[in-house]
Amino acid sequence: MKEIWIPELISALFLLLFIFRPLIKGLWPLDGLNWFPLLALVITLGLFPAYGFRPECLPLLLYFAVLALLNLPSLHNDDFHDRGLGFILPAALLLVLAAAVALFFAPMDPTEKVTAPNIVMVRDERQNRNYTLRIFGPAEDTAESALAEPQQTPGRPLLLVIPPEAGGIRAVDTLCANLADRGFTVISYSRRGFDSLAPDKLSRMWQSFRNGTVSKKANDFGRALETGRMEDLNFLLPHIKRNSAALVPGADPETLIIAGFGAGGAAAVYLASSPAIMAQNRQLRGIVTVESGFWSSYSEEERIPRSIPATTNWFKKTGSAVQNWFANLRPLKMTGLGTVQRPVIPTLYLVSDRALEGVAQTQYAAAFDLLQKPGPAPAALIALKGAGPLDYTDYPVEYSLYSALFPGQGEKTGLRGQDFIENTTAVITGFAAAVLQAPDTLRQGATRADYHLLTRSWEDSPWNLRDLRGILNP
């Protein structure tokens, strides 16, 4: 039984006793039942400081709040006999629906304890920015081991995980721990002030996700996120390499894979498309992008004002000027893909299976363009069957309601929760094994989900991603 079910069921029981009191004579003398709606509200409010923000409890919280407010007069004037079936049946039905959402989408009890990461604070003095690094790896990969004797065996590959904008580092903690168990030293990070979840920012993220290929305003916000992530990488990549002995003493600073969610994946691709930047970051061997929109790759329409010949009379000039003024008020739109920069190192594009159902012409158009047209390095695109846009994060386990609200196109074939994290771990590890030629330090694993795989490779390449299918299902 999930622990959070206990207070949820207790609060629901209080409301059931309150609602059905008029029909059960044995409950009539119990005047204290009038306080049960308020008591249920207090219990539900206590869930949030105890378990963190629980979106599946919001319908229950709203229902209890409304019922407690409506019941305030009854605290002094007990009129429960006046409540007939017109109140009892709808109230009971709403309670069942709200409780069902809270119970069904409750977080799963962890099957195993996730090792706590090593947390390091880093400051970018030039940009006046503060970063929090979360480093996952074996127990010996700590700062104290930096003074130990040099290791004779090859270091663990470094994996830099750029978290999604919605959820930040907390949305990938379990994934990072699983990747560390496969043989990586994993670093995820957050930047103070940038990775905030203010309601207005979440709203703009949603608009960018929904309309970033259509509306310039929505696209501009997506571009701003990508620019911010590029600035993060410009600072973090050299910082990690310079300070690797202290930060990640058990890792190989010359072997780095980036797994970037959303804007982070796009930013990594843009940086890896620059020969000058890659010359300074030769440790970067491959990139995994997860649900990246590549908003900076789209072109916006141009405003072409109506020309006003000098010989035009004042009346027509005024009319044309007014038309131009109104035309400038119209929001600009995006006209489609422009120049899509191509990375010079192997790249894997991990997308929802919604990309296979016609949506490829919208928010996934850039990813397909990067894959299908010739480029300087091999590339692959993988869509796990049934995976929605959020299913490559910890959300299927921690916030399954979000996963249900943003489903994939295909059936999940019985896979839930931890299975999606394991599948994502297997995909990233398999790609890294192909790029790094399967070092002994990586433990590969098979995916349990069906998947769609597209590759762009060639036989004489030092990397051959065509064998990725065999790596994912050994």
Side-chain angles (χ1 to χ4, degrees):
M1 182 176 181
K2 300 176 182 179
E3 179 184 328
I4 196 174
W5 281 0
I6 298 174
E8 290 173 348
L9 289 172
I10 291 175
S11 60
L13 176 61
F14 285 167
L15 257 294
L16 282 176
L17 293 175
F18 169 80
I19 291 172
F20 286 100
R21 184 186 180 191
L23 302 181
I24 304 175
K25 291 185 177 181
L27 299 178
W28 288 2
L30 305 179
D31 296 335
L33 293 181
N34 276 337
W35 291 89
F36 275 20
L38 188 59
L39 183 58
L41 175 62
V42 171
I43 293 175
T44 307
L45 283 172
L47 294 177
F48 291 86
Y51 297 94
F53 179 70
R54 301 307 319 166
E56 71 276 1
C57 293
L58 290 179
L60 204 61
L61 179 65
L62 179 62
Y63 175 77
F64 289 165
V66 171
L67 204 60
L69 183 63
L70 294 177
N71 188 58
L72 285 179
S74 298
L75 297 179
H76 304 286
N77 181 21
D78 195 351
D79 56 354
F80 71 92
H81 289 291
D82 298 335
R83 297 196 295 265
L85 292 179
F87 166 82
I88 295 173
L89 294 181
L93 177 60
L94 290 175
L95 174 61
V96 169
L97 293 176
V101 171
L103 296 172
F104 184 80
F105 294 108
M108 299 181 181
D109 290 333
T111 55
E112 58 183 18
K113 185 177 180 180
V114 176
T115 303
N118 182 32
I119 299 177
V120 178
M121 309 302 294
V122 174
R123 179 169 174 79
D124 180 359
E125 296 291 349
R126 179 180 299 179
Q127 298 291 337
N128 191 27
R129 293 171 177 170
N130 294 302
Y131 293 88
T132 301
L133 306 185
R134 296 169 70 84
I135 303 173
F136 298 78
E140 62 268 17
D141 286 1
T142 61
E144 290 77 6
S145 65
L147 301 177
E149 295 183 2
Q151 295 183 355
Q152 301 299 320
T153 58
R156 292 159 58 95
L158 265 175
L159 177 64
L160 176 61
V161 175
I162 308 175
E165 297 80 48
I169 52 178
R170 297 294 183 181
V172 291
D173 259 4
T174 304
L175 174 64
C176 289
N178 278 28
L179 288 165
D181 289 341
R182 294 294 178 93
F184 294 100
T185 293
V186 183
I187 302 176
S188 65
Y189 77 92
S190 66
R191 191 219 299 177
R192 185 180 302 172
F194 185 86
D195 293 301
S196 64
L197 293 179
D200 61 326
K201 187 172 183 180
L202 287 175
S203 175
R204 296 175 71 184
M205 287 180 187
W206 169 250
Q207 291 300 322
S208 177
F209 173 75
R210 294 289 297 176
N211 302 312
T213 63
V214 179
S215 164
K216 180 180 182 301
K217 182 178 180 181
N219 183 275
D220 283 346
F221 184 72
R223 290 184 181 221
L225 293 175
E226 291 175 351
T227 300
R229 290 305 191 200
M230 289 178 66
E231 294 171 352
D232 293 344
L233 290 176
N234 281 327
F235 168 72
L236 289 173
L237 290 181
H239 178 87
I240 292 172
K241 186 175 182 179
R242 285 195 310 267
N243 300 280
S244 59
L247 287 176
V248 285
D252 180 3
E254 298 299 329
T255 305
L256 173 67
I257 302 289
I258 290 180
F261 288 77
V269 166
Y270 300 152
L271 291 181
S273 303
S274 169
I277 294 177
M278 287 305 300
Q280 301 172 4
N281 295 280
R282 297 185 184 277
Q283 75 275 21
L284 183 55
R285 306 294 184 84
I287 298 172
V288 180
T289 75
V290 186
E291 284 292 304
S292 297
F294 301 98
W295 309 120
S296 300
S297 300
Y298 290 84
S299 300
E300 64 185 65
E301 65 176 336
E302 297 182 9
R303 292 195 191 275
I304 303 178
R306 292 172 58 92
S307 59
I308 305 175
T311 57
T312 304
N313 61 52
W314 70 269
F315 183 78
K316 290 185 177 180
K317 285 183 179 180
T318 303
S320 297
V322 171
Q323 289 179 337
N324 286 336
W325 184 80
F326 277 107
N328 288 332
L329 295 179
R330 180 179 58 84
L332 286 174
K333 297 181 179 180
M334 309 306 294
T335 58
L337 279 177
T339 301
V340 186
Q341 303 178 56
R342 281 164 166 71
V344 298
I345 56 176
T347 306
L348 170 66
Y349 304 98
L350 186 56
V351 298
S352 163
D353 71 347
R354 298 168 66 174
L356 309 176
E357 299 293 335
V359 189
Q361 303 306 316
T362 54
Q363 62 258 46
Y364 297 102
F368 276 89
D369 185 89
L370 283 163
L371 179 77
Q372 294 171 349
K373 293 183 179 179
L381 182 144
I382 290 182
L384 296 183
K385 183 178 179 181
L390 301 178
D391 284 341
Y392 298 117
T393 65
D394 295 355
Y395 282 132
V397 172
E398 297 295 331
Y399 300 99
S400 58
L401 177 62
Y402 290 153
S403 180
L405 292 176
F406 297 94
Q409 293 289 345
E411 294 291 334
K412 286 182 168 57
T413 60
L415 300 178
R416 290 187 62 192
Q418 187 69 26
D419 292 326
F420 281 100
I421 295 178
E422 294 290 345
N423 290 334
T424 307
T425 302
V427 169
I428 295 175
T429 307
F431 169 77
V435 171
L436 304 177
Q437 301 180 359
D440 295 336
T441 50
L442 289 182
R443 295 189 300 104
Q444 301 169 40
T447 61
R448 293 185 57 194
D450 295 332
Y451 57 86
H452 185 83
L453 171 66
L454 297 174
T455 61
R456 185 191 72 223
S457 190
W458 45 87
E459 296 299 336
D460 58 351
S461 168
W463 313 282
N464 183 11
L465 299 185
R466 288 177 179 167
D467 62 356
L468 199 56
R469 188 177 299 277
I471 292 175
L472 296 178
N473 291 113

